[in-house]
Amino acid sequence: MTKEEYSAEHIKVLEGLDAVRKRPAMYIGDTSFRGYHHLLWEVVDNSIDEALAGYAKNIKVVLHKDGSVEVIDDGRGIPVEEHPQYNISALELVLTKLHAGGKFDTKTYKISGGLHGVGISVVNALSEFLDVKVKREGKIYHIAFRKGKKVKDLEVIGETDDTGTDVVFKPDPEIFSHEGFDYKYIASRLKELAYLNKGLRIELVDERNNKREVFIFDKGIESFLEELVKFKNRVLDGVIYFKGNYGNGEVEVCFTYVWEDQTSIRGYVNNIHTIEGGTHISGFLQSLTRIVKKAIEKQPKKIKVSIESEDIKEGLFAIISLKLPQPEFEGQTKTKLGSKEGKDIVYNITLRELEKYFDINVDSLNKIIARVVRAAEARIAAKRARELVKRKSALEGFDLPGKLSDCSTKDKHRAELFIVEGESAGGSAKLARDREFQAVLPLKGKIINVEKNTMLKVLKNEEIKTLIASIGTGIGENFDLSKLRYNKIIVMTDADVDGAHIRTLVLTFFYRYLSQLIEEGKVYLALPPLYKIRTNKGDVVYAYSDEEKEEIIKKFKEEGKSIVEVQRYKGLGEMDPEQLWETTMDPARRKLKQVSIEDAAEAEKTFTILMGEKVEPRKSFILENALSMKLEELDV
Ligand code: 0RA
């Protein structure tokens, strides 16, 4: 071809790729880590599109030792026939024409990943080298480039029965400030793509250090959601899944509820994570809210609390994956779906499919209602408590409740608060403590009647109000850690059923309204001894468990000491102040258990069972626990 024979289009094509090398950031955002990996996503997206179109079943990504990366798929192969307009192969065209991308023929694909989509020609322009092999119509074709310029014409290099595309490229170090592909980053996105495209097998091989992973999920986003809620307390046994077509769109939805006060709604549009949300998310939430509210109104036993949309969201974990031909994105990072159809599709499919689902799975609906009602109750209770704290401080200044026997130190780091059950144990604790740094707050036995108490009632309780005032931080949204009046908050209860009840209640209260305190490691359980063991020689030893007791007795016997007398402590009130100090309160000798968020979550689960509407689990819970208590109480 002579110079004159170049058509105007050809010249434009060449200028196009030069422009990419001159201003790479205009096409891929930046020339560091993100831009560098953007090249890979551009190529992977093309193979994913071929999978979405129903052709590719396997995608393999290989990180080579020389810094190049290879993306192999078993799709139809990029077309190689001559393009009528340009007189070059379609393959060469997509590799050299700007914006042509893999979507030069828009009718070929209904749907394609829209965030990257600058086209594989941009990858070619910014690569030190790029090599493509296409298997198609019985032949293997090959073409090669350096820095966007063709160095090998398209030629047949072999024969095959397979089809597919194989692209190898190395980002050009002249262009990028970053060097090297990041295995973890790539693996996590490929895994996400495998979740989003049910049944698609994606293999990642790292030849630099012999790592290999295969991602394939026959349950798609259902498996994804299972993974997200793996360590949570679940409201439903499984996850709810449905999908449907509406207009030009198709949506897959999967959701479940957990007891934790968290919400996670992940949206995807054409496999792009819509971090800023958008119309598809609002469509889902509106539909879910409508269905749940309607179901609540229809309950035979009238539910009095009014439900707000935030109550529907509490504990909700959802994944919404929408496929839409021409999505429009908005927002700062262009990851918010703006298209109005997005909402129509998800709203209507959710309404239709979820109503069908709940008709069959009434139990799931009832469990969700219970979760939503609890969220509403907690919201109202927290609001009341906030008003109360405000009012209290307005009326009483900084006065502390009379029931609190405070410590005298002003050093918050040394100060400790003992929460003690009952007046008698409270009395012993007051006598036993070191008043310089130990404060004591007795809680009345009355509030242990958790069975009938929702957290709403608990928050109205005088004792709990006193507790909030003593701690000083406020609760819920107004929580302020810097106002904490004690460095350790120690729950000290008897080793009996009532003790277990009050511990459950207090921990549930902390979990729901003061979880930051637990996360900061400020909440502890005192571990009083279970036994006092005395010998005829006057030795006195305390045992904190049955095993320890047995060991001590054995040791005494071996030492020839007899009349070993064992006293089982049933309550803190049985100890004299001296003993209580020695065994349970003295920082040098006591045992404390730091409460973890898991312990507290466990307590709240127990609380939920204890106060729940369902009689059966409550009954069996109380029976089981009463039984274990009885065994413990058997004296030796
Ligand atoms: C356009 C048309 C056809 C295939 C592709 C693009 C295609 C592109 C890529 C990029 C990576 N892997 C790919 N696989 C396929 C097929 C047209 C036909 O065969 O009818």
Side-chain angles (χ1 to χ4, degrees), residues 141-206:
Y141 298 86
H142 176 249
I143 191 166
F145 298 82
R146 280 188 76 81
K147 303 184 183 183
K149 301 254 188 313
K150 190 167 67 174
V151 293
K152 238 182 166 86
D153 279 321
L154 182 67
E155 61 172 359
V156 174
I157 56 165
E159 296 191 352
T160 180
D161 289 335
D162 300 332
T163 63
T165 304
D166 179 338
V167 180
V168 193
F169 70 92
K170 181 177 181 229
D172 190 348
E174 275 178 23
I175 303 281
F176 292 93
S177 59
H178 175 86
E179 199 178 342
F181 287 105
D182 185 304
Y183 182 88
K184 266 203 177 150
Y185 176 67
I186 293 168
S188 97
R189 173 65 180 155
L190 292 180
K191 188 174 183 186
E192 182 176 55
L193 284 167
Y195 277 129
L196 290 167
N197 298 281
K198 206 182 286 193
L200 173 63
R201 182 182 188 278
I202 305 181
E203 182 177 355
L204 173 61
V205 177
D206 190 346

Side-chain angles (χ1 to χ4, degrees), residues 390-600:
K390 263 191 233 151
R391 202 169 52 234
K392 246 201 154 73
S393 51
L395 289 175
E396 300 171 16
F398 294 100
D399 281 358
L400 284 162
K403 283 170 209 129
L404 173 73
S405 302
D406 209 1
C407 52
S408 57
T409 184
K410 293 274 169 287
D411 181 0
K412 287 181 183 182
H413 298 285
R414 291 211 315 128
E416 300 179 341
L417 174 66
F418 281 83
I419 300 169
V420 188
E421 170 210 351
E423 295 295 344
S424 86
S428 303
K430 276 182 211 167
L431 292 171
R433 68 175 174 151
D434 182 334
R435 61 185 315 133
E436 206 265 316
F437 70 97
Q438 294 180 319
V440 173
L441 177 67
L443 295 183
K444 271 205 207 100
K446 255 202 281 177
I447 62 164
I448 63 173
N449 194 4
V450 279
E451 282 169 59
K452 294 199 206 93
N453 280 338
T454 61
M455 258 296 146
L456 192 72
K457 286 188 195 146
V458 170
L459 275 172
K460 280 195 217 152
N461 180 282
E462 279 306 318
E463 315 283 321
I464 292 288
K465 286 186 205 167
T466 303
L467 178 58
I468 296 169
S470 305
I471 291 170
T473 56
I475 65 169
E477 286 163 28
N478 290 351
F479 179 86
D480 181 354
L481 186 63
S482 72
K483 297 226 173 85
L484 180 61
R485 301 184 61 251
Y486 307 94
N487 194 41
K488 285 194 172 74
I489 294 166
I490 303 166
V491 183
M492 187 161 76
T493 52
D494 289 341
D496 61 7
V497 182
D498 284 350
H501 271 180
I502 203 153
R503 198 166 54 237
T504 300
L505 176 83
V506 172
L507 289 187
T508 302
F509 166 74
F510 277 118
Y511 181 68
R512 291 203 191 154
Y513 301 103
L514 287 161
S515 62
Q516 290 104 315
L517 279 190
I518 300 171
E519 271 153 13
E520 293 289 332
K522 303 290 188 194
V523 183
Y524 296 82
L525 299 179
L527 299 178
L530 292 177
Y531 302 98
K532 178 182 180 182
I533 303 156
R534 194 203 304 269
T535 68
N536 63 338
K537 298 272 190 314
D539 312 73
V540 173
V541 184
Y542 299 98
Y544 292 81
S545 68
D546 286 299
E547 297 84 65
E548 201 180 348
K549 177 196 68 188
E550 294 305 330
E551 261 170 44
I552 291 164
I553 294 171
K554 209 172 117 200
K555 196 167 137 267
F556 278 154
K557 291 208 168 130
E558 280 164 8
E559 287 168 4
K561 290 164 182 160
S562 57
I563 326 179
V564 181
E565 185 192 305
V566 177
Q567 183 193 347
R568 155 98 201 186
Y569 285 122
K570 292 209 184 72
L572 298 167
E574 283 180 9
M575 285 187 223
D576 59 45
E578 194 80 2
Q579 287 173 336
L580 189 58
W581 166 253
E582 275 175 23
T583 61
T584 318
M585 294 180 78
D586 176 8
R589 285 175 285 185
R590 72 188 175 195
K591 292 189 187 215
L592 291 184
K593 182 183 183 321
Q594 194 171 41
V595 175
S596 70
I597 202 77
E598 287 80 15
D599 296 331

Side-chain angles (χ1 to χ4, degrees), residues 270-282:
N270 299 349
N271 293 326
I272 298 156
H273 186 186
T274 44
I275 297 155
E276 295 176 84
T279 53
H280 54 326
I281 305 294
S282 25

Side-chain angles (χ1 to χ4, degrees), residues 250-261:
E250 179 190 313
V251 69
E252 271 189 283
V253 176
C254 183
F255 74 97
T256 194
Y257 274 92
V258 301
W259 285 110
E260 282 80 356
D261 182 4

Side-chain angles (χ1 to χ4, degrees), residues 224-234 238-239 256-258 315 317:
F224 196 175
L225 193 64
E226 290 284 359
E227 184 69 29
L228 294 178
V229 297
K230 205 158 147 191
F231 299 111
K232 309 259 178 254
N233 289 306
R234 299 167 62 152
V239 300
T256 194
Y257 274 92
V258 301
F317 274 65

Side-chain angles (χ1 to χ4, degrees), residues 6-39:
Y6 271 115
S7 70
E9 273 102 333
H10 276 89
I11 293 164
K12 224 165 81 192
V13 166
L14 294 177
E15 274 180 358
L17 289 199
D18 282 346
V20 178
R21 287 184 66 84
K22 277 207 193 90
R23 292 158 171 258
M26 265 189 49
Y27 298 86
I28 55 166
D30 63 59
T31 54
S32 51
F33 184 93
R34 275 185 72 88
Y36 189 97
H37 287 84
H38 191 127
L39 300 190

